[in-house]
Amino acid sequence: KLQFLYFIVTHYNMSIPILATAALAGTTFLNSGTVRSTDKFGLVTVNSIYNEDYSYEGVFGGNGGWTRGGLPYLYKMEGGSNVLNNTDMPGGDIDVIKNLADYNACMAACNKNQQCTAWTFDKTSGCYLKKGSPPTQPKQGVTSGCKQGGSNACGVRSVPPSGMRSSVPLGGLAAGGIELRGDGRIGDWGIAINNGPQAFQHAGKFEDNNWMMGVAVKDVAVAVRTNPPQGVDAADAISQMTYRGAFPVSQLSLEDLRLNASGAAVMNAYSHFEMNKPSDSSLPVINFEYLFPAAAASEKKSLFMNIPESLFRKPGVSVSVDGATAILKGGVNDTAGEIAVMVLVDGKPSTVAPTWIQSSSVATNWGQFKDLKGVLPSKQESGVGQVGVAVSVPNGQNVTLVFGYFFPDRHWGSENIGQFYASIWGSAKEVVTQSASNIASGKTNSAITAWNRLCTDNSMPTWLRDALTQTGGGLGKTSMFLKDGRYRQYESHSCAQMEPPHIHFYRALLYSSVFPTLEEQTVDMYASTLPADGDVQELFGCGCGGCGGHSYNLDTPMGGPRGDDTSLFLIDNYMNYKWHGKSLSGNWDAIIRAVAWVTGNAQLYGLPHDLRNTFDEHGIVGNTNSYSAFVFLTGMAATKEMALLMKNDTMHALADAALTRGVAQLESQLWTGSYYRSFWCANGNTDPNALQGDSTYGYLWSVLLDLDLGIDAAKVKSHIEHERMWNLNDYGIMFASNRTYSYDCKGKGPLRAGFSDIDTWTMMAMDHASVGIRVGADIGESMGVAQNMIDSYRLLNNDQW
C-alpha cells in the first residue's frame, strides 16, 4: 500500500496540499493517551522473547536479547483490593504450603514470611507464596492477594496510556535520538551514541530521569512532567497531558488551568524527516515548539529545560551563550560533544538571550527558575551534573527551543567510524542554525506534511493509516550512518548482526519507497563482498551477541549459507532496476556467481535443501521447505528478466530450467492438495500436515515485481485460507501448526524444534494480508489478520513504537 501511494504521488506528479504554518497544522494524529499527575506506574516482569529492554525513570533492567525469563514492562497501577477472586498470579513462587483451610490462612502465611510479597490460593493444589510483582491472569476458583501493608503487586493493573511504553522516535536519521513520553519523561536515550546492541563497546544504553521541561505564564511555573524528578515539588507537576504521535512528531497537550484558563497550550516535538533526502534527514536536532492560545500571546512566557550532563558521559560541562543560543560542551577525547539550544519566537531567533544555571540537581535549577520569575543566574551554583536553560519572552504565541546535538565520534569495536552528520555540520551551533533556517523557510513543515499526507490522506482504515505513519521511525533507530557515507542497519535492538539479507529485504520495500539510495547501498555491499563461490552470507561484521573474537569490520561476510539470502540478493537487484532504473552492470558478475551457487545447491532436489532461512530452524527439520522454495523460484524468475536485459542467453536458459524444475518439485514435494506443507523429507518421513506461516513470502514478491512463476494463483489462495484457518491467533499469524514432532527426517531422531509453534512473527500477518488480496481471497478477512497484529501493539498494549 505504501509503495502504491508513493508511486501515485511521485510518478503522476499529484499535488500534496501543504499547510505552511510553523505549528505543523497539516499533521494528522490517529492515536492519543492521557496521563494525569495522580497516575502511578510501575514495572512488572512479563514473559518475553527477542526483545529490547525497557526502563522507567532511569531504572534499567538488563541487556534484553533472547530470553523467556521475562523483562520489565510498564503498567499503570490502579490500586484496588488486597484480595482478587478468580485470579491467578503465575510465577515468583518461593514456597508451597499444603492443606490450608482457605485463602485467609494463605494470606496470613504470607504476612508472616519476610520474603513474601504476594500469594495465590488454589484449594486443589495449595497456597503459593511469592516474591516480586507477578502478573495477574483470570483463573476460575483461584484467589490471589498481596501481603497486607506490603506492595501493590496484586493491585489492579492496566495497560498504560499510549505514549508511555514507547513513543515516536525523535532525532536525526541514524544519528541517535530520544523518545518524549506521555508523562513528559525522555526515554530511550541515544543522543550521544545511537543505541546499539548492548554487547558492543561504547554502545551501552543509558537512562537519566533528570531531563525536565517547564513553562511559566505570568510567572506561574508548571513542570511539563506529571511525575517530576526527585526533589522537584510534586505540586509543580502539570495536572494532565494528552500525548499524540505521528512520526516524526510527538505532541503533548498541556492541560493545566495555571497556564491559561482560556485553553491548553500545545508542545510539538519534531525532527526533520524528508523523503528521498537522507542527508537532510540526518540533521541531529529535536525542535520543542510551544503553541500558546491566542489569549496568552501578549502575556509574559518563560520556558525551562534541564539537561543532564550524563549525555556527555562525564559531568562538568562548560556553558556559554551566543545570541539566542546556549551552548554546552563536554566529554573527553572520543566522547566529547556539544549541545546547543536556540530560542525562536514566532519562527525567528529571540532577541532575548537565554539564561542558564549549572548545579548538582534539577531541583536546584527548577527552584531558581521559579524564584527568579522565569530566568536563571547564568552561573554555576553548587556542583555539576545538571544544566538548566531558560528564556523569558515578553510576547509571542509560538516559542521554540531548538535542541541540537553534535557527537561526531562513534565506535564499532576499536574503530572510530564516526557520524555521517559530522561530514555536513561542524558544531551543534551549525545544527540548530540549519534547523532554524528549515523552520523559517517552511522546509521542515513541508517535508513532515508530505510524509503525513502520504500515509493518512487516503481511504485506508484508521489502524493501517496510523501504522503506516509510524513506519518511518523504525528506519534510523537501529541504523548507523557512518562518516564515510555508508549506511548500515543491524538486525534488531538486541542482535548485532549487520545487514542480514533475510532481514534487510523485509525492510527493502520501505527503503525503496522513502530512501532508495540507502536501499541500493545495501545490495551493492552484498555484491562487492560476495565470496568467490557466490554464496551471499548471513551477516556482515558480527554475530547476534558480539563478535566472538572476529573482526568488527562491518562489511566482512560471516555467518554461512542460508536458503533464502542468495535468492533475495537476486530479487533485490531486480527490484532496484525495475523500480528505480538502477543499472545491473555494476553487480552483474556477482549476480552470475550467486545464480551459480543457488542453482548448484538446488540440483539435488530441485529446490534449496538443508539450509536454514530467516525462521532459523528450517534445514534442521526438513530437506526442502516451502518458504525457501518460493523465494528461490522468484529469484529464478528475476534472473530470467535480468539475463534478457543483459543479453546473456546462457544465464537465461539456466534460470528458466531451474524455475521450471523448481515449480514441478514444489508441487510434487510440498503441495498437499489444499496447501503447501511446511517441509519435505527425502526419506519419506515427511510430517504430512505441518503448515508454516509466511511460506508464500517469495510469491508475494513475484506479484509485486510482475514476475510469472507459473504457479496457479488458486492454489496460493487455498493455502492462504488454510493458513488463516490454522495459524491465526489474536496477535497475527503464529509460526507453525499441525506439527507432530514424531518423525525422523534425517536419521537423527525425532524433531527438536527451535521455536514454539505458537510464537507469533509480526511480518507474517502483513504478508498474509498482502498475498490474500493479490490472489483474490476475502479482503476483509485478509486485512483482519493484519489488523490483529497491528492492534496488538497499537491498542492492546499501547506500544506501537
Side-chain angles (χ1 to χ4, degrees), residues 10 34 198 242 335 637 655:
T10 57
T34 298
Q198 306 307 317
T242 297
T335 64

Coordinates of all heavy atoms in Angstrom, one line a residue, residues 10 34 198 242 335 637 655:
T10 N 4.6 10.4 -6.6 CA 5.8 10.9 -7.3 C 5.8 10.7 -8.8 O 6.3 11.6 -9.5 CB 7.0 10.1 -6.8 OG1 6.8 8.7 -7.0 CG2 7.2 10.3 -5.3
T34 N -3.9 9.9 27.6 CA -3.9 11.0 28.6 C -3.3 10.5 29.9 O -3.7 9.4 30.4 CB -5.3 11.5 28.8 OG1 -5.8 12.1 27.6 CG2 -5.3 12.6 29.9
Q198 N 23.6 -4.2 23.2 CA 24.3 -3.9 24.4 C 25.7 -4.5 24.5 O 26.5 -4.0 25.3 CB 23.4 -4.5 25.6 CG 22.0 -4.0 25.5 CD 21.9 -2.5 25.4 OE1 22.6 -1.8 26.1 NE2 21.0 -2.0 24.6
T242 N -2.1 15.1 27.3 CA -2.6 14.2 26.3 C -1.5 14.0 25.2 O -1.1 15.0 24.6 CB -3.9 14.6 25.7 OG1 -4.9 14.6 26.7 CG2 -4.3 13.6 24.6
T335 N 34.6 10.9 23.4 CA 33.2 11.0 23.8 C 32.8 12.5 23.9 O 31.7 12.8 24.4 CB 33.0 10.4 25.2 OG1 33.8 11.0 26.2 CG2 33.3 8.9 25.2
A637 N 13.0 -16.4 -11.4 CA 12.2 -15.6 -12.4 C 12.8 -14.2 -12.6 O 12.8 -13.6 -13.7 CB 10.7 -15.4 -11.9
A655 N 18.4 -20.2 -15.7 CA 17.3 -19.7 -14.7 C 16.0 -20.3 -15.1 O 15.2 -20.7 -14.3 CB 17.3 -18.2 -14.7

